[in-house]
Amino acid sequence: MKGQAPTYTVDAATLFRGLMDGGSNARILLDLAAANEIELHAQAKDWNGLLWLISTALKENGEAYSGEEYASLRNRLPVVFH
């Protein structure tokens, strides 16, 4: 359909890399999706995987996110979870 942004499927590892590595190709995908240049899709299991990756990384640093912070992150990510 003309005018519709190209759609790409991403997984938890790609999302995690995009959030943690500002110079990565995964970050470029997130930035393009935030600018509505592309549309990113992921499965619900990828959200769960992303939660696990983030919580594991935070735990190694002695930190943690609250449930509200995770909910806010999900709402702000330019990704459609199915």
Side-chain angles (χ1 to χ4, degrees):
M1 176 183 272
K2 186 176 180 180
Q4 185 174 350
T7 301
Y8 298 91
T9 301
V10 293
D11 60 10
T14 302
L15 294 172
F16 184 73
R17 194 174 311 108
L19 290 171
M20 299 301 169
D21 183 356
S24 68
N25 288 338
R27 180 53 165 266
I28 293 170
L29 286 174
L30 287 175
D31 290 343
L32 288 171
N36 293 318
E37 296 291 324
I38 64 171
E39 191 172 293
L40 296 178
H41 291 258
Q43 295 184 14
K45 69 179 178 110
D46 292 309
W47 170 248
N48 293 333
L50 180 60
L51 288 178
W52 183 83
L53 289 166
I54 292 171
S55 63
T56 300
L58 290 173
K59 189 187 313 183
E60 290 177 5
N61 294 327
E63 301 174 27
Y65 276 1
S66 69
E68 291 90 16
E69 289 170 313
Y70 281 121
S72 177
L73 174 63
R74 184 174 176 151
N75 289 334
R76 290 190 329 252
L77 278 175
V79 180
V80 178
F81 290 96
H82 300 279

